[in-house]
């Protein structure tokens, strides 16, 4: 099973106050399992995923002791090498299908373009494959949806299309960057369950980035908790609610539940957390 | 069911019907403005005249009749004759051809050129952008006609060279426009998604960025066509565009200049044609912008 190994990954951006470390010495391994990354906005979780796919734009700088996928060194990768990895071996699903699908291309053309890049199937076969893929991700009328432009689709349908596009080349690893935060609550569960089912069926790895602790606890095997660019805690998903780190405890305390009904929800006490963290930088 | 009802149906039965309805609505919207109607009709008229010139022109535009030179309008010569006794009506009709030829060729050559430069500059940024945009600035720093004059002077007079010269001076605004559009598109999520999917850069540029830059460029090109007509006429007037004896409006005005006080129609007739031609394209461009721009819908 191909494995993603990241050791001491740092992403830095220059700023007026000197270099800003957005991702700070992050290390993890990911095989055929479901890894969740949680943290607040700006904690570096998205940037970690982008760094893994080589999508950090200059002037951002990526540095790592080791960053390998299936034995391939991701640090020394040229444009051609990236093309053989992105979309074929690693897929990525973004937040909002409204923006991540090209507004002026039909669904069919968008998925077919990705499918044809990595295989030498004929046009006709590719089209059949796209329709097949759409029905696999639970689209009820694939022929109609394939003919639509993205603005004609609902959010949930759009995200299904995105998932179909990313799974069509059967990648080994799927990175989902808050795949459901733009969807309404009813559809969220459906999309997550669909992703979960496909990942289990194909034996793929999943990196699920989210700020929703409940989602991650439910759909992942292992969870990394990030704060200010670092991993502050790693735990098994089913033990997430017993986590020890003050930041994680703080996050958990913020979740509304039956017991907190009618009471004020607690707010993160950053001073206390920072006091317990080793010196920053 | 009437055609109108079929076209504005709220629940079209097929995608084709919906598309036809969309075009129909756009057309209706354009027709609301009298100036747009005037523009559309005039441009269509000019195109028709150019196509039907041999039948509308009555006599050979280059047939000389020295004995009947500088005649005023009459039943035989509807708009009079010029200094060589050529029929001005015929020359006016045939003059639409070089004008339209220049306009169309300039549009077909300069828009793609500007798009390529602008999209590359916007997408790649950095030093690629700096170099391309400085070149664009150099071209924009010169007045159009002066630069075109310089190029024609180097290339030699003639219609083809006039087209080349105008093209070279016409592309920079399109490059600027395409660059701005690309800058906005480049950071959008679907371009990221395309990169994540492993789509090569040239395919992203051609398949994902270019189609989004085309509408604004088309509008700009239509608006610029009036300017192209003026530049072409200017080159003709200075003797650097179409060469005699070819009937070309700018050259005809130049020929009539000597007689402007006594036989004013020799210069006024082609002058009016130039005015009408550029006005028509300007109004068409304005109308097109109103229809295609979603903000004005």
């Amino acid at each position: 099973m191909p494995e993603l190994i990241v050791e001491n990954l740092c992403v830095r951006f220059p700023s007026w106050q000197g270099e800003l470390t957005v991702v700070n010495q992050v290390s993890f391994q990911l095989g055929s399992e479901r890894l969740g990354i949680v943290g607040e906005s700006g904690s570096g979780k998205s940037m970690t995923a982008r760094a893994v796919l080589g999508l950090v734009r200059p002037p951002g700088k990526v540095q790592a002791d080791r960053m390998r996928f299936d034995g391939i060194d991701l640090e020394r990768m040229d444009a051609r090498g990236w093309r053989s990895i992105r979309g074929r071996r690693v897929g990525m699903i973004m937040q909002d299908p409204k923006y991540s699908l090209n507004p002026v291309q039909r669904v069919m053309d968008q998925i077919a373009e990705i499918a044809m890049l990595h295989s030498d199937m004929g046009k006709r076969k590719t089209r059949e494959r796209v329709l097949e893929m759409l029905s696999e991700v639970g689209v009820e009328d694939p022929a109609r949806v394939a003919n639509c432009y993205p603005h004609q689709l609902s959010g949930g349908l759009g995200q299904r299309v995105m998932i179909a596009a990313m799974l069509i080349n059967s990648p080994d690893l799927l990175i989902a960057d808050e795949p459901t935060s733009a969807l309404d609550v009813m559809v969220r569960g459906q999309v997550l369950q669909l992703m979960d089912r496909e990942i289990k069926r194909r034996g793929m790895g999943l990196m699920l980035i989210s700020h929703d602790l409940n989602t991650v606890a439910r759909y992942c095997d292992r969870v990394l908790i990030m704060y200010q660019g670092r991993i502050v805690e790693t735990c098994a998903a089913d033990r997430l609610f017993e986590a020890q780190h003050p930041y994680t405890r703080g996050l958990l305390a913020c979740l509304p539940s039956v017991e907190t009904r009618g009471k004020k929800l607690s707010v993160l006490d950053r001073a206390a957390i920072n006091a317990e963290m080793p010196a920053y930088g | 069911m009437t055609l109108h009802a079929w076209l504005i149906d709220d629940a079209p039965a097929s995608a084709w019907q919906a598309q036809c309805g969309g075009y129909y609505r756009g057309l209706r919207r354009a027709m609301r403005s009298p100036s747009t109607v005037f523009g559309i009709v005039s441009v269509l008229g000019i195109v028709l005249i150019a196509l039907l010139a041999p039948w509308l022109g009555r006599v050979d535009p280059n047939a000389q009749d020295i004995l009947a030179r500088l005649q005023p309008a009459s039943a035989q010569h509807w708009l009079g004759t010029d200094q060589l006794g050529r029929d001005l009506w015929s020359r006016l009709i045939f003059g639409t051809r070089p004008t339209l030829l220049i306009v169309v060729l300039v549009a077909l050559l300069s828009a793609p050129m500007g798009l390529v430069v602008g999209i590359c500059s916007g997408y790649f940024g950095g030093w690629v952008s700096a170099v391309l945009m400085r070149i664009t600035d150099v071209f924009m720093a010169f007045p159009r006609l002066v630069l075109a004059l310089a190029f024609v002077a180097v290339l030699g007079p003639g219609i083809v060279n006039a087209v080349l010269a105008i093209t070279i001076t016409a592309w920079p605004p399109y490059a600027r426009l395409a660059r701005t559009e690309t800058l906005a598109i480049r950071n959008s999520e679907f371009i990221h998604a395309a990169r994540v999917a492993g789509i090569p850069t040239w395919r992203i540029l051609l398949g994902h960025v270019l189609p989004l830059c085309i509408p604004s460029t088309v509008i700009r090109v239509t608006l610029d066509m009036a300017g192209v007509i003026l530049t072409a006429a200017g080159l003709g007037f200075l003797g650097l565009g179409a060469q005699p004896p070819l009937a070309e409006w700018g050259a005809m005005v130049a020929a009539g200049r000597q007689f402007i006080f006594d036989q004013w129609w020799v210069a006024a007739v082609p002058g009016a044609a130039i005015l009408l031609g550029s006005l028509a394209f300007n109004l068409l461009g304005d109308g097109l912008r109103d229809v295609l721009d979603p903000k004005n819908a």
Side-chain angles (χ1 to χ4, degrees), chain A residues 108 112 116 121-131:
Chain A
M108 168 60 84
M116 285 174 85
M121 274 192 294
K123 223 174 186 160
R124 185 105 161 264
K125 258 194 145 170
T126 311
R127 292 182 159 271
E128 280 167 24
R129 179 87 190 86
V130 171
L131 292 180

Side-chain angles (χ1 to χ4, degrees), chain A residues 79-119:
Chain A
R80 203 179 170 153
W82 277 121
R83 283 207 297 277
S84 69
I85 293 218
R86 294 176 189 158
R88 185 191 302 212
R89 310 224 36 205
V90 183
M92 182 164 172
I93 294 169
M94 300 193 195
Q95 217 175 80
D96 194 341
K98 262 203 189 65
Y99 302 113
S100 52
L101 292 167
N102 187 331
V104 296
Q105 269 185 8
R106 288 177 198 279
V107 166
M108 168 60 84
D109 299 333
Q110 297 194 39
I111 307 183
E113 181 175 20
I114 294 168
M116 285 174 85
L117 279 178
H118 303 295
S119 77

Side-chain angles (χ1 to χ4, degrees), chain A residues 10-253:
Chain A
C10 294
V11 179
R12 295 194 180 89
F13 279 87
S15 78
W16 293 110
Q17 288 97 34
E19 240 170 26
L20 198 68
T21 309
V22 182
V23 175
N24 196 355
Q25 300 193 323
V26 165
S27 307
F28 62 91
Q29 293 191 6
L30 174 59
S32 173
E33 62 177 333
R34 300 170 301 166
L35 177 72
I37 303 183
V38 284
E40 58 194 5
S41 303
S43 60
K45 45 194 199 316
S46 291
M47 212 29 104
T48 306
R50 292 203 166 198
V52 166
L53 275 174
L55 289 171
V56 177
R57 270 191 185 272
K61 271 184 278 186
V62 178
Q63 202 182 51
D65 287 354
R66 211 144 71 103
M67 194 156 75
R68 282 164 188 278
F69 178 72
D70 196 16
I72 307 163
D73 191 347
L74 296 180
E75 276 182 290
R76 271 177 281 286
M77 189 72 95
D78 54 359
R80 203 179 170 153
W82 277 121
R83 283 207 297 277
S84 69
I85 293 218
R86 294 176 189 158
R88 185 191 302 212
R89 310 224 36 205
V90 183
M92 182 164 172
I93 294 169
M94 300 193 195
Q95 217 175 80
D96 194 341
K98 262 203 189 65
Y99 302 113
S100 52
L101 292 167
N102 187 331
V104 296
Q105 269 185 8
R106 288 177 198 279
V107 166
M108 168 60 84
D109 299 333
Q110 297 194 39
I111 307 183
E113 181 175 20
I114 294 168
M116 285 174 85
L117 279 178
H118 303 295
S119 77
D120 40 11
M121 274 192 294
K123 223 174 186 160
R124 185 105 161 264
K125 258 194 145 170
T126 311
R127 292 182 159 271
E128 280 167 24
R129 179 87 190 86
V130 171
L131 292 180
E132 215 174 277
M133 196 65 222
L134 281 174
S135 64
E136 267 177 58
V137 296
V139 174
E140 270 169 25
D141 189 354
R144 188 183 68 80
V145 170
N147 242 331
C148 285
Y149 287 96
H151 71 270
Q152 298 170 307
L153 305 176
S154 67
L157 213 47
Q159 204 60 303
R160 280 171 205 268
V161 168
M162 202 64 214
I163 293 173
M166 284 307 159
L167 289 181
I168 198 160
N169 291 315
S170 317
D172 303 309
L173 173 64
L174 189 67
I175 300 177
D177 190 352
E178 307 205 15
T180 55
S181 49
L183 306 179
D184 62 70
V185 186
M186 301 293 289
V187 187
R188 271 181 202 179
Q190 288 174 18
V191 168
L192 284 166
Q193 262 159 27
L194 161 74
M195 265 174 49
D196 200 48
R197 193 186 74 208
E198 290 302 313
I199 279 153
K200 278 182 181 151
R201 199 163 68 87
R202 290 153 197 264
M204 299 163 49
L206 169 71
M207 191 195 283
L208 178 65
I209 295 165
S210 176
H211 48 237
D212 183 354
L213 292 168
N214 285 321
T215 302
V216 169
R218 185 152 164 214
Y219 291 102
C220 293
D221 303 315
R222 207 150 56 85
V223 182
L224 306 178
I225 294 115
M226 284 186 79
Y227 180 62
Q228 295 196 344
R230 311 170 177 225
I231 297 178
V232 292
E233 189 162 19
T234 311
C235 62
D238 45 6
R239 322 203 78 184
L240 178 62
F241 295 98
E242 299 152 30
Q244 295 307 312
H245 192 274
Y247 174 65
T248 320
R249 292 244 50 94
L251 283 182
L252 289 170

Side-chain angles (χ1 to χ4, degrees), chain B residues 203-223:
Chain B
R203 285 200 69 131
I204 293 181
L205 291 180
L206 282 184
H208 297 254
V209 179
L210 179 67
L212 286 157
C213 290
I214 283 182
S216 57
T217 308
V218 166
I219 292 164
R220 184 69 204 248
V221 167
T222 324
L223 280 170

